Amino acid sequence: MLPSLPDLTGSARAVSLPLRQPFRGITSREALLFEGPQGWTEFSPFVEYDDTEAAAWLDGAIDFGWLAAPALFRSRIRVNATLPAVEPSAVAGVLDTFPGCRTVKVKVAQLGQMLADDVARVAAARDYVGVEGRIRIDANGGWNVDEAEHAIHALAGFDLEYVEQPCASVEELADIRQRVKYMGIPIAADESVRKASDPLEVARAGAADLLVIKAQPLGGIRASLDIVAATKLPVVVSSALDTSVGISMGAYLAAGIPELEYDCGLGTAALLAGDVTSSPLLPADGSIEVRRVQVDAALLDRYAASTDRTAWWLERLGRCHAVLAGRP
């Protein structure tokens, strides 16, 4: 049952958390937090998303705040380090904030950068983790098929674990997957799952070897588990640069999946220069705990969004609630 809007707004707090370095073109991460019967939860669709897409994130927030967790198969989740599109000289400093992580996800295809920048960054990451470490790259759909093929060839020598969302469309993913299949480099789908009207399309089209799933955008833990069961593909549970509250949601999702073959992208609290809890879900020995997060009132005050931004988030919450209330 959908909680009333006053049930959500009664405890709602908008925050703006600074980042250690720019990520996805932003220098701070905004989120709206509110408390349900099960504890604190997070609503944080990126600001450019429309209300229909953002409403799925609200579904996810309500799922986590109002419903009990599913059965859990583990109490800790192995996580990867996430490397933004920084200069090679900055790589070690970023990766030092992910202690014990054996896997690095390197952001590539950054607007305004060249393939040579990607090669240099991936090379620095490989030097950092050594031959036994794992390197995966994420293009966020930034290449066309020919560009992706060229880039994958240029980066293959660094022993890639997989390539995440090299192209934007399902058709392009299927094409590039066939082109590089002989190289033995798997293709992962992220945006083609969480931003699609039908998240199962990418699996039916044979366009990916594995899926990257995120609890909030997919409508919550239960909806995400349904997708995992329906596709029967390996999955990586990842975050959307959440606060530790949102990371906790992802950790419960990862803990509810029977088999996890890959390290998860749930270490991104390390990219934040501030958080909403005095006990953040930071990587330790390459993993994070599966636990709910208690927010710290003083930190909510310290990182409170401006009056204008708080009003913007509350208005957005109301619109997205109306979208959910209008569903059949």
Side-chain angles (χ1 to χ4, degrees):
M1 183 175 178
L2 181 66
S4 71
L5 187 57
D7 286 339
L8 306 183
T9 59
S11 59
R13 296 291 301 271
V15 296
S16 178
L17 304 180
L19 304 182
R20 296 185 184 277
Q21 56 274 314
F23 190 88
R24 286 177 53 101
I26 60 175
T27 57
S28 64
R29 181 68 167 110
E30 292 185 345
L32 189 70
L33 307 177
F34 46 87
E35 191 173 16
Q38 299 296 326
W40 284 90
T41 188
E42 177 172 336
F43 171 60
S44 57
F46 291 107
V47 295
E48 65 269 22
Y49 293 176
D50 65 25
D51 292 344
T52 300
E53 184 173 355
W57 296 60
L58 180 55
D59 240 351
I62 291 169
D63 175 279
F64 190 54
W66 268 256
L67 300 178
L72 305 181
F73 294 93
R74 56 193 64 82
S75 60
R76 295 192 69 89
I77 308 298
R78 285 206 64 94
V79 298
N80 64 256
T82 299
L83 182 63
V86 298
E87 294 293 323
S89 60
V91 166
V94 174
L95 296 184
D96 283 346
T97 64
F98 294 87
C101 291
R102 62 186 179 181
T103 303
V104 179
K105 179 167 82 169
V106 184
K107 290 292 185 176
V108 295
Q110 176 81 6
L111 188 65
Q113 294 188 359
M114 307 291 289
L115 178 56
D117 299 308
D118 296 335
V119 171
R121 187 179 312 112
V122 173
R126 173 54 71 196
D127 287 344
Y128 185 95
V129 299
V131 295
E132 294 184 354
R134 305 173 185 184
I135 300 288
R136 55 183 69 157
I137 62 172
D138 180 10
N140 290 114
W143 293 318
N144 63 38
V145 177
D146 289 338
E147 289 170 336
E149 184 176 19
H150 180 58
I152 292 170
H153 275 90
L155 295 165
F158 298 107
D159 190 20
L160 302 180
E161 182 181 37
Y162 63 75
V163 178
E164 181 176 332
Q165 201 71 42
C167 307
S169 72
V170 172
E171 294 77 12
E172 289 174 316
L173 283 186
D175 191 352
I176 190 61
R177 180 171 179 253
Q178 288 303 313
R179 290 195 194 190
V180 302
K181 192 171 185 178
Y182 75 96
M183 302 173 69
I185 299 177
I187 299 297
D190 176 8
E191 286 87 348
S192 292
V193 179
R194 65 181 170 89
K195 294 176 74 69
S197 57
D198 180 1
L200 302 183
E201 179 187 2
V202 69
R204 284 197 297 266
D209 299 284
L210 65 147
L211 305 181
V212 177
I213 60 172
K214 299 175 181 177
Q216 264 199 89
L218 292 175
I221 292 174
R222 285 153 189 80
S224 300
L225 290 174
D226 288 344
I227 291 171
V228 174
T231 63
K232 298 181 173 59
L233 288 174
V235 297
V236 175
V237 179
S238 191
S239 78
L241 200 59
D242 307 323
T243 77
S244 281
V245 173
I247 294 289
S248 175
M249 188 191 310
Y252 272 92
L253 169 56
I257 296 172
E259 296 183 17
L260 277 179
E261 300 178 27
Y262 296 92
D263 295 347
C264 289
L266 295 171
T268 53
L271 298 175
L272 302 174
D275 209 331
V276 297
T277 174
S278 55
S279 184
L281 280 173
L282 293 168
D285 296 324
S287 65
I288 62 169
E289 298 176 78
V290 180
R291 60 175 169 85
R292 286 194 175 263
V293 169
Q294 288 298 316
V295 303
D296 187 313
L299 292 173
L300 289 178
D301 290 339
R302 180 187 304 177
Y303 297 115
S306 69
T307 301
D308 287 349
R309 294 305 298 164
T310 296
W312 185 91
W313 275 99
L314 291 174
E315 289 169 3
R316 188 187 205 189
L317 176 66
R319 296 194 308 270
C320 291
H321 186 273
V323 171
L324 297 184
R327 293 182 304 187

